[in-house]
Amino acid sequence: GGGSRGACEAIKALARLVGAAIITGPVAMDVVESDCPLNVGAAGSKGSISGNFAAEQATLVINVGGRGVCQSDSSGTLFARAEAFINVNLREIEAQRYLGLPVVGDARAALEEMLEVLRTEPPSPDAAWLEAIAGARRQWQDYLDDFVRHPVIDGKLTQPAAIKAID
C-alpha cells in the first residue's frame, strides 16, 4: 500500500529471503520496480493475472502500508487461502485488518526488524512456488503484449498500446 513508500529495498530483501511474491496495491504500483522478478503486480478488481494468482494462492500475507480496500482485495475474498496476516501500518486502525497480527510502525523499520530475525534461521524458498510466480508473470506479460500486437480494438487504441507508444 501507499504506506510502503520508502521501504522498497526492505520489501525486496524480505521477498527474496522467504521466496514471496510482491503484490502491489492500486496506489502503490511503483513502490517496487515492475521488472523485479518477484513483483507480480496489482491484485484485486483492478489487478493483474499474476497479482491475482499470487493473492489467491497466498497462505501468509504481509500487508505493508495497505488499507485493505475492496479494489485491492476484492472485498476481502481474494486471499481466501491465507491462514495468517501480518499488517504493518503507521495507523493502528489499518494494522487491525483481516484479524491479523498488527505491527504498528514505520514500514521500513518494521521490515528491517523482521529481516534481522529471519536471517538468524533463514527459511528455504519453495522453488516450485518461485517458478509458478515466474509463469504467472509471463502469462500477464503475454496478455499485455497481445494488446500491443493488436493495438486497435473496435476502432480504439488499447491502453497498453498507448502507454507503449508514449514510453
Side-chain angles (χ1 to χ4, degrees):
S4 63
R5 297 204 184 283
C8 173
E9 294 307 317
I11 290 169
K12 291 189 298 186
L14 180 61
R16 281 191 301 268
L17 183 66
V18 302
I22 299 169
I23 303 169
T24 62
V27 298
M29 293 174 65
D30 61 344
V31 169
V32 173
E33 304 87 353
S34 61
D35 62 353
C36 172
L38 296 174
N39 183 347
V40 294
S45 60
K46 295 178 174 67
S48 64
I49 291 168
S50 49
N52 285 332
F53 166 79
E56 290 165 356
Q57 301 302 314
T59 55
L60 168 65
V61 175
I62 302 175
N63 178 17
V64 181
R67 295 181 302 142
V69 296
C70 63
Q71 59 186 334
S72 62
D73 74 355
S74 296
S75 298
T77 64
L78 192 58
F79 301 107
R81 293 188 62 197
E83 299 166 11
F85 286 85
I86 299 172
N87 299 299
V88 180
N89 206 297
L90 279 173
R91 298 184 63 208
E92 187 172 355
I93 188 85
E94 304 300 349
Q96 301 292 330
R97 298 281 180 186
Y98 306 111
L99 302 175
L101 173 67
V103 177
V104 179
D106 176 73
R108 185 177 65 201
L111 293 177
E112 286 173 353
E113 285 186 42
M114 285 182 203
L115 282 163
E116 188 176 319
V117 171
L118 286 168
R119 285 181 177 131
T120 62
E121 290 186 46
S124 298
D126 181 344
W129 171 242
L130 293 174
E131 182 51 42
I133 292 169
R137 279 179 50 94
R138 285 189 299 273
Q139 184 181 10
W140 175 239
Q141 191 58 54
D142 289 346
Y143 176 81
L144 294 177
D145 290 347
D146 191 51
F147 281 102
V148 174
R149 283 191 300 277
H150 305 97
V152 178
I153 297 177
D154 295 329
K156 296 180 181 147
L157 191 63
T158 64
Q159 182 181 18
I163 291 169
K164 180 128 178 111
I166 292 168
D167 196 22

PDB file of all heavy atoms in Angstrom, residues 19 25 31 39-40 45 55 57 79 90 94 97 103 110 122 129 139 145 149 156-157 159 161:
ATOM      1  N   GLY A  19      11.162 -16.087  -0.352  1.00  0.00           N
ATOM      2  CA  GLY A  19      10.601 -16.591  -1.604  1.00  0.00           C
ATOM      3  C   GLY A  19       9.145 -16.204  -1.780  1.00  0.00           C
ATOM      4  O   GLY A  19       8.307 -17.022  -2.149  1.00  0.00           O
ATOM      5  N   GLY A  25      -0.515  -2.706  -4.391  1.00  0.00           N
ATOM      6  CA  GLY A  25      -1.863  -2.173  -4.321  1.00  0.00           C
ATOM      7  C   GLY A  25      -2.064  -1.144  -5.424  1.00  0.00           C
ATOM      8  O   GLY A  25      -1.107  -0.701  -6.063  1.00  0.00           O
ATOM      9  N   VAL A  31       6.062   1.254  -5.989  1.00  0.00           N
ATOM     10  CA  VAL A  31       6.935   1.140  -4.823  1.00  0.00           C
ATOM     11  C   VAL A  31       8.103   0.192  -5.118  1.00  0.00           C
ATOM     12  O   VAL A  31       9.232   0.457  -4.743  1.00  0.00           O
ATOM     13  CB  VAL A  31       6.145   0.679  -3.577  1.00  0.00           C
ATOM     14  CG1 VAL A  31       7.077   0.299  -2.435  1.00  0.00           C
ATOM     15  CG2 VAL A  31       5.201   1.788  -3.125  1.00  0.00           C
ATOM     16  N   ASN A  39       7.949  -9.202  -8.225  1.00  0.00           N
ATOM     17  CA  ASN A  39       6.813  -8.285  -8.307  1.00  0.00           C
ATOM     18  C   ASN A  39       5.810  -8.843  -9.315  1.00  0.00           C
ATOM     19  O   ASN A  39       6.078  -8.900 -10.509  1.00  0.00           O
ATOM     20  CB  ASN A  39       7.275  -6.891  -8.728  1.00  0.00           C
ATOM     21  CG  ASN A  39       6.140  -5.893  -8.755  1.00  0.00           C
ATOM     22  OD1 ASN A  39       4.966  -6.250  -8.700  1.00  0.00           O
ATOM     23  ND2 ASN A  39       6.487  -4.624  -8.857  1.00  0.00           N
ATOM     24  N   VAL A  40       4.654  -9.256  -8.813  1.00  0.00           N
ATOM     25  CA  VAL A  40       3.621  -9.834  -9.685  1.00  0.00           C
ATOM     26  C   VAL A  40       2.548  -8.820 -10.050  1.00  0.00           C
ATOM     27  O   VAL A  40       1.567  -9.162 -10.697  1.00  0.00           O
ATOM     28  CB  VAL A  40       2.989 -11.096  -9.055  1.00  0.00           C
ATOM     29  CG1 VAL A  40       4.011 -12.213  -8.951  1.00  0.00           C
ATOM     30  CG2 VAL A  40       2.375 -10.787  -7.692  1.00  0.00           C
ATOM     31  N   SER A  45      -9.776  -6.197  -7.998  1.00  0.00           N
ATOM     32  CA  SER A  45     -10.663  -5.945  -9.135  1.00  0.00           C
ATOM     33  C   SER A  45      -9.978  -5.183 -10.248  1.00  0.00           C
ATOM     34  O   SER A  45     -10.398  -5.257 -11.404  1.00  0.00           O
ATOM     35  CB  SER A  45     -11.908  -5.185  -8.669  1.00  0.00           C
ATOM     36  OG  SER A  45     -11.540  -3.937  -8.101  1.00  0.00           O
ATOM     37  N   ALA A  55      -2.171 -13.731  -5.048  1.00  0.00           N
ATOM     38  CA  ALA A  55      -3.073 -13.450  -3.917  1.00  0.00           C
ATOM     39  C   ALA A  55      -3.963 -14.650  -3.613  1.00  0.00           C
ATOM     40  O   ALA A  55      -4.168 -15.003  -2.452  1.00  0.00           O
ATOM     41  CB  ALA A  55      -3.925 -12.225  -4.224  1.00  0.00           C
ATOM     42  N   GLN A  57      -3.301 -17.726  -4.100  1.00  0.00           N
ATOM     43  CA  GLN A  57      -2.514 -18.857  -3.601  1.00  0.00           C
ATOM     44  C   GLN A  57      -1.855 -18.590  -2.246  1.00  0.00           C
ATOM     45  O   GLN A  57      -1.360 -19.522  -1.610  1.00  0.00           O
ATOM     46  CB  GLN A  57      -1.420 -19.211  -4.621  1.00  0.00           C
ATOM     47  CG  GLN A  57      -1.937 -19.574  -5.991  1.00  0.00           C
ATOM     48  CD  GLN A  57      -2.900 -20.746  -5.956  1.00  0.00           C
ATOM     49  OE1 GLN A  57      -2.645 -21.753  -5.316  1.00  0.00           O
ATOM     50  NE2 GLN A  57      -4.036 -20.592  -6.614  1.00  0.00           N
ATOM     51  N   PHE A  79      -7.919 -13.223  -0.772  1.00  0.00           N
ATOM     52  CA  PHE A  79      -6.937 -14.008  -0.017  1.00  0.00           C
ATOM     53  C   PHE A  79      -7.600 -15.184   0.698  1.00  0.00           C
ATOM     54  O   PHE A  79      -7.324 -15.457   1.863  1.00  0.00           O
ATOM     55  CB  PHE A  79      -6.205 -13.111   0.986  1.00  0.00           C
ATOM     56  CG  PHE A  79      -5.478 -11.959   0.351  1.00  0.00           C
ATOM     57  CD1 PHE A  79      -5.948 -10.664   0.471  1.00  0.00           C
ATOM     58  CD2 PHE A  79      -4.327 -12.180  -0.384  1.00  0.00           C
ATOM     59  CE1 PHE A  79      -5.261  -9.600  -0.104  1.00  0.00           C
ATOM     60  CE2 PHE A  79      -3.641 -11.122  -0.969  1.00  0.00           C
ATOM     61  CZ  PHE A  79      -4.113  -9.835  -0.827  1.00  0.00           C
ATOM     62  N   LEU A  90       1.399   2.482   9.939  1.00  0.00           N
ATOM     63  CA  LEU A  90       1.567   3.544  10.931  1.00  0.00           C
ATOM     64  C   LEU A  90       0.279   3.787  11.712  1.00  0.00           C
ATOM     65  O   LEU A  90       0.320   4.193  12.873  1.00  0.00           O
ATOM     66  CB  LEU A  90       1.971   4.854  10.251  1.00  0.00           C
ATOM     67  CG  LEU A  90       3.434   5.008   9.890  1.00  0.00           C
ATOM     68  CD1 LEU A  90       3.645   6.279   9.064  1.00  0.00           C
ATOM     69  CD2 LEU A  90       4.305   5.038  11.128  1.00  0.00           C
ATOM     70  N   GLU A  94      -5.600   0.662  10.720  1.00  0.00           N
ATOM     71  CA  GLU A  94      -5.282  -0.054   9.482  1.00  0.00           C
ATOM     72  C   GLU A  94      -4.504  -1.335   9.764  1.00  0.00           C
ATOM     73  O   GLU A  94      -4.596  -2.306   9.020  1.00  0.00           O
ATOM     74  CB  GLU A  94      -4.510   0.846   8.516  1.00  0.00           C
ATOM     75  CG  GLU A  94      -5.194   2.152   8.163  1.00  0.00           C
ATOM     76  CD  GLU A  94      -6.541   2.008   7.489  1.00  0.00           C
ATOM     77  OE1 GLU A  94      -6.929   0.904   7.073  1.00  0.00           O
ATOM     78  OE2 GLU A  94      -7.239   3.036   7.384  1.00  0.00           O
ATOM     79  N   ARG A  97      -6.478  -4.874  10.192  1.00  0.00           N
ATOM     80  CA  ARG A  97      -7.182  -5.520   9.078  1.00  0.00           C
ATOM     81  C   ARG A  97      -7.037  -7.038   9.108  1.00  0.00           C
ATOM     82  O   ARG A  97      -6.044  -7.572   9.575  1.00  0.00           O
ATOM     83  CB  ARG A  97      -6.651  -5.012   7.736  1.00  0.00           C
ATOM     84  CG  ARG A  97      -6.845  -3.553   7.517  1.00  0.00           C
ATOM     85  CD  ARG A  97      -8.246  -3.244   7.109  1.00  0.00           C
ATOM     86  NE  ARG A  97      -8.373  -1.805   6.906  1.00  0.00           N
ATOM     87  CZ  ARG A  97      -9.494  -1.218   6.660  1.00  0.00           C
ATOM     88  NH1 ARG A  97     -10.599  -1.899   6.572  1.00  0.00           N
ATOM     89  NH2 ARG A  97      -9.539   0.087   6.495  1.00  0.00           N
ATOM     90  N   VAL A 103       1.212  -4.782  13.348  1.00  0.00           N
ATOM     91  CA  VAL A 103       2.526  -4.218  13.624  1.00  0.00           C
ATOM     92  C   VAL A 103       2.394  -2.729  13.328  1.00  0.00           C
ATOM     93  O   VAL A 103       2.320  -2.322  12.169  1.00  0.00           O
ATOM     94  CB  VAL A 103       3.628  -4.854  12.745  1.00  0.00           C
ATOM     95  CG1 VAL A 103       4.974  -4.194  13.013  1.00  0.00           C
ATOM     96  CG2 VAL A 103       3.697  -6.364  12.976  1.00  0.00           C
ATOM     97  N   ALA A 110      10.011  -1.695  10.445  1.00  0.00           N
ATOM     98  CA  ALA A 110       9.391  -2.969  10.838  1.00  0.00           C
ATOM     99  C   ALA A 110       9.918  -4.124   9.991  1.00  0.00           C
ATOM    100  O   ALA A 110      10.230  -5.200  10.511  1.00  0.00           O
ATOM    101  CB  ALA A 110       7.871  -2.867  10.722  1.00  0.00           C
ATOM    102  N   PRO A 122      17.325 -18.549   8.245  1.00  0.00           N
ATOM    103  CA  PRO A 122      16.592 -18.242   7.012  1.00  0.00           C
ATOM    104  C   PRO A 122      15.772 -19.430   6.512  1.00  0.00           C
ATOM    105  O   PRO A 122      16.244 -20.565   6.550  1.00  0.00           O
ATOM    106  CB  PRO A 122      17.677 -17.880   6.006  1.00  0.00           C
ATOM    107  CG  PRO A 122      18.976 -17.986   6.707  1.00  0.00           C
ATOM    108  CD  PRO A 122      18.755 -18.497   8.083  1.00  0.00           C
ATOM    109  N   TRP A 129       7.112 -22.747  -6.107  1.00  0.00           N
ATOM    110  CA  TRP A 129       6.345 -21.509  -5.965  1.00  0.00           C
ATOM    111  C   TRP A 129       6.987 -20.387  -6.768  1.00  0.00           C
ATOM    112  O   TRP A 129       6.314 -19.627  -7.461  1.00  0.00           O
ATOM    113  CB  TRP A 129       6.208 -21.129  -4.497  1.00  0.00           C
ATOM    114  CG  TRP A 129       5.622 -19.775  -4.260  1.00  0.00           C
ATOM    115  CD1 TRP A 129       6.209 -18.723  -3.645  1.00  0.00           C
ATOM    116  CD2 TRP A 129       4.321 -19.315  -4.657  1.00  0.00           C
ATOM    117  NE1 TRP A 129       5.362 -17.636  -3.619  1.00  0.00           N
ATOM    118  CE2 TRP A 129       4.191 -17.972  -4.241  1.00  0.00           C
ATOM    119  CE3 TRP A 129       3.257 -19.905  -5.321  1.00  0.00           C
ATOM    120  CZ2 TRP A 129       3.056 -17.216  -4.466  1.00  0.00           C
ATOM    121  CZ3 TRP A 129       2.114 -19.149  -5.553  1.00  0.00           C
ATOM    122  CH2 TRP A 129       2.015 -17.821  -5.123  1.00  0.00           C
ATOM    123  N   GLN A 139       2.570 -15.052 -18.155  1.00  0.00           N
ATOM    124  CA  GLN A 139       1.195 -15.065 -18.664  1.00  0.00           C
ATOM    125  C   GLN A 139       0.634 -13.642 -18.724  1.00  0.00           C
ATOM    126  O   GLN A 139      -0.007 -13.255 -19.704  1.00  0.00           O
ATOM    127  CB  GLN A 139       0.321 -15.951 -17.778  1.00  0.00           C
ATOM    128  CG  GLN A 139      -1.080 -16.109 -18.276  1.00  0.00           C
ATOM    129  CD  GLN A 139      -1.927 -16.984 -17.356  1.00  0.00           C
ATOM    130  OE1 GLN A 139      -1.543 -17.330 -16.250  1.00  0.00           O
ATOM    131  NE2 GLN A 139      -3.111 -17.324 -17.822  1.00  0.00           N
ATOM    132  N   ASP A 145       1.252  -7.947 -24.001  1.00  0.00           N
ATOM    133  CA  ASP A 145       1.892  -7.908 -25.318  1.00  0.00           C
ATOM    134  C   ASP A 145       0.878  -8.090 -26.438  1.00  0.00           C
ATOM    135  O   ASP A 145       1.027  -7.500 -27.515  1.00  0.00           O
ATOM    136  CB  ASP A 145       2.981  -8.976 -25.426  1.00  0.00           C
ATOM    137  CG  ASP A 145       4.193  -8.667 -24.573  1.00  0.00           C
ATOM    138  OD1 ASP A 145       4.314  -7.513 -24.077  1.00  0.00           O
ATOM    139  OD2 ASP A 145       5.020  -9.584 -24.384  1.00  0.00           O
ATOM    140  N   ARG A 149       0.471  -5.954 -29.801  1.00  0.00           N
ATOM    141  CA  ARG A 149       0.472  -6.538 -31.151  1.00  0.00           C
ATOM    142  C   ARG A 149      -0.814  -6.221 -31.911  1.00  0.00           C
ATOM    143  O   ARG A 149      -0.819  -6.133 -33.126  1.00  0.00           O
ATOM    144  CB  ARG A 149       0.646  -8.058 -31.073  1.00  0.00           C
ATOM    145  CG  ARG A 149       2.061  -8.501 -30.806  1.00  0.00           C
ATOM    146  CD  ARG A 149       2.232  -9.994 -30.989  1.00  0.00           C
ATOM    147  NE  ARG A 149       1.392 -10.797 -30.118  1.00  0.00           N
ATOM    148  CZ  ARG A 149       1.678 -11.119 -28.853  1.00  0.00           C
ATOM    149  NH1 ARG A 149       2.806 -10.702 -28.314  1.00  0.00           N
ATOM    150  NH2 ARG A 149       0.868 -11.862 -28.142  1.00  0.00           N
ATOM    151  N   LYS A 156     -10.484   1.643 -31.464  1.00  0.00           N
ATOM    152  CA  LYS A 156      -9.845   2.431 -30.402  1.00  0.00           C
ATOM    153  C   LYS A 156      -8.503   1.820 -30.041  1.00  0.00           C
ATOM    154  O   LYS A 156      -8.346   0.603 -30.000  1.00  0.00           O
ATOM    155  CB  LYS A 156     -10.746   2.472 -29.168  1.00  0.00           C
ATOM    156  CG  LYS A 156     -12.048   3.177 -29.438  1.00  0.00           C
ATOM    157  CD  LYS A 156     -12.923   3.197 -28.219  1.00  0.00           C
ATOM    158  CE  LYS A 156     -14.215   3.897 -28.589  1.00  0.00           C
ATOM    159  NZ  LYS A 156     -15.345   3.393 -27.916  1.00  0.00           N
ATOM    160  N   LEU A 157      -7.551   2.695 -29.744  1.00  0.00           N
ATOM    161  CA  LEU A 157      -6.229   2.280 -29.319  1.00  0.00           C
ATOM    162  C   LEU A 157      -6.321   1.685 -27.916  1.00  0.00           C
ATOM    163  O   LEU A 157      -6.935   2.280 -27.019  1.00  0.00           O
ATOM    164  CB  LEU A 157      -5.285   3.486 -29.319  1.00  0.00           C
ATOM    165  CG  LEU A 157      -3.802   3.232 -29.142  1.00  0.00           C
ATOM    166  CD1 LEU A 157      -3.260   2.392 -30.296  1.00  0.00           C
ATOM    167  CD2 LEU A 157      -3.050   4.552 -29.068  1.00  0.00           C
ATOM    168  N   GLN A 159      -5.145   0.588 -24.150  1.00  0.00           N
ATOM    169  CA  GLN A 159      -4.338   1.309 -23.162  1.00  0.00           C
ATOM    170  C   GLN A 159      -2.882   0.847 -23.172  1.00  0.00           C
ATOM    171  O   GLN A 159      -1.982   1.688 -23.185  1.00  0.00           O
ATOM    172  CB  GLN A 159      -4.939   1.149 -21.772  1.00  0.00           C
ATOM    173  CG  GLN A 159      -4.171   1.917 -20.719  1.00  0.00           C
ATOM    174  CD  GLN A 159      -4.749   1.752 -19.330  1.00  0.00           C
ATOM    175  OE1 GLN A 159      -5.505   0.839 -19.066  1.00  0.00           O
ATOM    176  NE2 GLN A 159      -4.365   2.631 -18.438  1.00  0.00           N
ATOM    177  N   ALA A 161      -1.128  -0.330 -25.612  1.00  0.00           N
ATOM    178  CA  ALA A 161      -0.511   0.188 -26.837  1.00  0.00           C
ATOM    179  C   ALA A 161      -0.250   1.691 -26.728  1.00  0.00           C
ATOM    180  O   ALA A 161       0.785   2.180 -27.164  1.00  0.00           O
ATOM    181  CB  ALA A 161      -1.395  -0.113 -28.048  1.00  0.00           C
TER     182      ALA A 161
END
